[in-house]
Amino acid sequence: MRKKPSKAKYIVLLVLILLFGSAAVLAIFMPADGGGLPMDNALIPSDSVLVIGILALLLPVLLIALIISVSKKPKKPQKIEALPEAKLSVRLDGKKDPPRKANSGTGAYASGTSTPGTPERADGESRFFMLSKTDRTMKKYAAPAHRDDVTLQSFCESFQAYAAGNLGLYYDISDIRRFISNLGVSHILVMQGMSGTGKTSLAYAFGEFIGNPSVIVPIQPMWKERTDMIGYYNEFTGKFNETLLLQKMYEANYSKDMYITVLDEMNIARVEYYFAEFLSLLELPDPNKRYIDVVSDVQKGDPKLLKNGRLKLPANMWFVGTANNDDSTFAISDKVYDRAMVINLDRKTQFFEAEKAPQVRISAEQFDAMVARARKEYGMTARNARRLRALDAYMIDKFKITFGNRIMKQIKQYIPVYLACGGDELDALDDILSKKVFRKLEAQNPIYVRNSVEELCGYLDELFGYDRMKLCKEYLRRFERAA
């Protein structure tokens, strides 16, 4: 690599140039006896020549001294004023984080898990503000008294009376039975139908009825992953942005109450995207193995129910999604429909007289016990089991559609609970077949299905009776008109 010339070389060169210039000036302006200009022809008067010559000699000396003085003068380092700590630690919520202290010699921040650029918290302070607050609150928590004299049938009737008499919300008893029975089969429930038929209010009313208000989660169109539901760690503030759903999930792990989470307008975004992890976890048969990832590391001061950054999906929480089928929403995929139970609310119930009724507070364990007792006491009759097998064979032959193991399991679990709620067996079978089996016709050739509707309705009349299976036939007629 070539070295850069030193400053001394430049100075010597400059001096030579200045001396040469001074000599030239003297040669021009001063008189000479021989080859110089005659005094009479000089450009400048003789009395000024001496002054000009002296200045010509002093000028290079002064310039050289100035250059040497500037080159030797050290540059004064620019002073950088540190910003006040208060300006560095302002959080997005307007509050201030505690001051950060660096370890001597290393420059690392006080906590061994933190890295430079990550705001440090004071000792004992948690990055989960609300969850840590729940830990402190639950130290004084006393479980409320739960009713132990409740049956599924009285539970449904009391709920209908409470919704009408206390909240001014009117629902047909058959819709109440379907709602309660579906909760007994799956922790995921989809309520669909026209806007204004009471989908969200039904789930809201149930939370009021059991004395534990439902959590309403308005789904946003841009949601794509689980962090949209439970929150995320903010690297800038050093805090976790906790959502209301995460807080309620954490609280439910302390409690024995039933918790209802309403995913309002659930199909305004793709359910199989933002709810994918929940769908997979709820498929696990053992509730004690359902853990959802919250953060990827462990830090001092984290809430005590977080296990290696994971939170248990509470077994006492049910997810109820409301769905509208219009141009502004996405179609719900088979992955969701197959795992969830479905209710169609297509009409409003007429007003009826009702007096105020008390709440019925039961624990999730009590509800599960009532469901388990219903399955021991009730079941699908052998006659309807034969009818179901015949219908399955017919659907396979005509449309290449079969019930599948998951649907058969849901049918066998749903019918006993619906009977224990005071319903009829064929009504239960009609309800679940219309949502679980005949819905699959939407994926078939619409022209072929439309031409086969009359034959299929006739087969249902022949198999179950002319005045039965009304929901199935109503769905098929509507499908025929739409096709």
Side-chain angles (χ1 to χ4, degrees):
M1 180 182 293
R2 298 179 58 186
K3 295 184 178 179
K4 295 182 178 180
S6 63
K7 295 180 180 179
K9 293 182 179 181
Y10 289 115
I11 293 174
V12 172
L13 181 61
L14 180 60
V15 170
L16 293 175
I17 293 173
L18 291 173
L19 290 175
F20 177 79
S22 300
V25 170
L26 289 174
I28 295 173
F29 295 114
M30 290 194 69
D33 294 333
L37 292 173
M39 291 296 295
D40 296 338
N41 298 327
L43 296 176
I44 300 175
S46 59
D47 55 350
S48 302
V49 169
L50 181 61
V51 176
I52 294 174
I54 294 173
L55 292 177
L57 291 174
L58 291 177
L59 181 60
V61 176
L62 294 175
L63 289 175
I64 292 171
L66 180 61
I67 292 171
I68 294 174
S69 175
V70 172
S71 62
K72 288 186 176 180
K73 187 177 181 180
K75 292 183 178 180
K76 187 177 181 180
Q78 186 178 0
K79 184 178 179 181
I80 300 176
E81 183 179 356
L83 290 175
E85 182 67 28
K87 293 183 179 180
L88 291 173
S89 59
V90 175
R91 295 181 359 183
L92 295 179
D93 56 5
K95 300 180 181 179
K96 296 181 180 179
D97 287 333
R100 295 178 285 165
K101 297 181 180 179
N103 291 335
S104 59
T106 63
Y109 290 98
S111 172
T113 56
S114 298
T115 57
T118 301
E120 183 57 37
R121 294 175 297 279
D123 291 341
E125 184 184 358
S126 174
R127 52 183 170 172
F128 293 88
F129 176 77
M130 294 304 300
L131 302 193
S132 298
K133 183 179 179 181
T134 301
D135 282 336
R136 296 189 297 269
T137 303
M138 286 300 176
K139 289 181 179 179
K140 303 177 182 179
Y141 172 75
H146 293 115
R147 294 272 298 270
D148 56 1
D149 58 343
V150 182
T151 65
L152 284 174
Q153 181 171 352
S154 66
F155 193 55
C156 293
E157 293 170 354
S158 298
F159 177 32
Q160 184 191 31
Y162 180 89
N166 297 56
L167 305 176
L169 300 173
Y170 302 92
Y171 297 99
D172 190 90
I173 190 61
S174 61
D175 292 330
I176 298 291
R177 288 169 181 159
R178 293 187 188 108
F179 181 79
I180 301 298
S181 300
N182 285 331
L183 296 180
V185 176
S186 175
H187 279 249
I188 311 172
L189 176 59
V190 176
M191 293 196 297
Q192 58 188 16
M194 295 183 300
S195 179
T197 53
K199 299 183 294 295
T200 304
S201 61
L202 176 58
Y204 161 78
F206 185 75
E208 298 297 316
F209 172 61
I210 60 177
N212 189 20
S214 301
V215 182
I216 309 296
V217 180
I219 305 301
Q220 302 302 315
M222 69 292 295
W223 282 13
K224 291 184 178 180
E225 54 184 25
R226 61 177 174 81
T227 56
D228 295 318
M229 295 192 65
I230 65 174
Y232 61 93
Y233 180 71
N234 191 320
E235 295 285 351
F236 178 73
T237 63
K239 300 288 185 180
F240 193 93
N241 287 13
E242 302 154 280
T243 64
L244 178 60
L245 174 59
L246 180 65
Q247 297 169 32
K248 285 297 182 179
M249 287 171 55
Y250 192 82
E251 178 186 310
N253 277 288
Y254 274 109
S255 177
K256 294 184 177 180
D257 288 341
M258 296 180 69
Y259 280 75
I260 302 296
T261 296
V262 182
L263 306 178
D264 199 24
E265 302 285 352
M266 70 181 305
N267 61 333
I268 201 170
R270 292 195 178 276
V271 184
E272 60 274 16
Y273 288 0
Y274 68 84
F275 203 60
E277 192 166 349
F278 290 84
L279 291 172
S280 299
L281 290 176
L282 291 172
E283 281 290 287
L284 298 178
D286 187 357
N288 295 319
K289 294 183 179 179
R290 300 171 183 169
Y291 279 85
I292 189 167
D293 293 326
V294 179
V295 286
S296 58
D297 63 346
V298 178
Q299 291 190 14
K300 183 179 179 181
D302 280 352
K304 65 179 184 179
L305 294 186
L306 281 185
K307 306 299 181 183
N308 296 322
R310 306 167 73 208
L311 178 64
K312 181 182 177 183
L313 191 63
N316 55 338
M317 178 172 282
W318 282 260
F319 296 90
V320 180
T322 64
N324 290 325
N325 299 321
D326 53 42
D327 294 338
S328 65
T329 59
F330 292 96
I332 299 177
S333 66
D334 284 343
K335 177 182 179 180
V336 179
Y337 269 128
D338 288 348
R339 288 163 173 77
M341 297 300 289
V342 183
I343 295 180
N344 286 338
L345 292 178
D346 294 325
R347 58 179 64 89
K348 293 182 179 181
T349 303
Q350 297 297 323
F351 170 83
F352 58 87
E353 293 290 341
E355 297 181 355
K356 287 192 174 183
Q359 295 176 332
V360 177
R361 191 154 193 170
I362 64 172
S363 67
E365 294 178 351
Q366 286 177 282
F367 180 75
D368 291 339
M370 288 192 295
V371 170
R373 188 162 53 249
R375 289 178 183 146
K376 289 181 179 179
E377 296 177 359
Y378 301 94
M380 186 166 53
T381 61
R383 182 183 182 186
N384 283 330
R386 290 193 299 270
R387 288 169 167 170
L388 204 57
R389 288 193 295 271
L391 180 61
D392 189 23
Y394 180 89
M395 296 297 291
I396 293 174
D397 180 59
K398 290 290 184 180
F399 305 101
K400 307 301 183 211
I401 292 175
T402 184
F403 289 12
N405 294 331
R406 180 186 280 115
I407 293 178
M408 284 302 302
K409 180 181 178 181
Q410 290 172 345
I411 291 174
K412 292 178 180 179
Q413 291 178 339
Y414 180 71
I415 289 177
V417 183
Y418 192 83
L419 292 175
C421 288
D424 178 80
E425 183 178 354
L426 279 181
D427 288 342
L429 197 57
D430 181 24
D431 177 54
I432 196 168
L433 286 178
S434 65
K435 284 110 177 214
K436 289 290 183 176
V437 177
F438 292 112
R439 187 195 63 81
K440 294 182 179 294
L441 292 173
E442 295 177 7
Q444 303 294 311
N445 186 321
I447 298 177
Y448 177 77
V449 174
R450 183 183 59 189
N451 295 334
S452 305
V453 164
E454 288 301 327
E455 180 184 346
L456 180 52
C457 289
Y459 184 75
L460 291 176
D461 290 339
E462 177 185 341
L463 198 59
F464 296 98
Y466 179 78
D467 59 341
R468 306 309 299 257
M469 311 306 285
K470 294 180 180 179
L471 294 176
C472 290
K473 289 186 285 188
E474 180 181 338
Y475 171 81
L476 292 172
R477 303 290 187 194
R478 187 165 60 248
F479 185 85
E480 181 183 27
R481 292 192 296 271

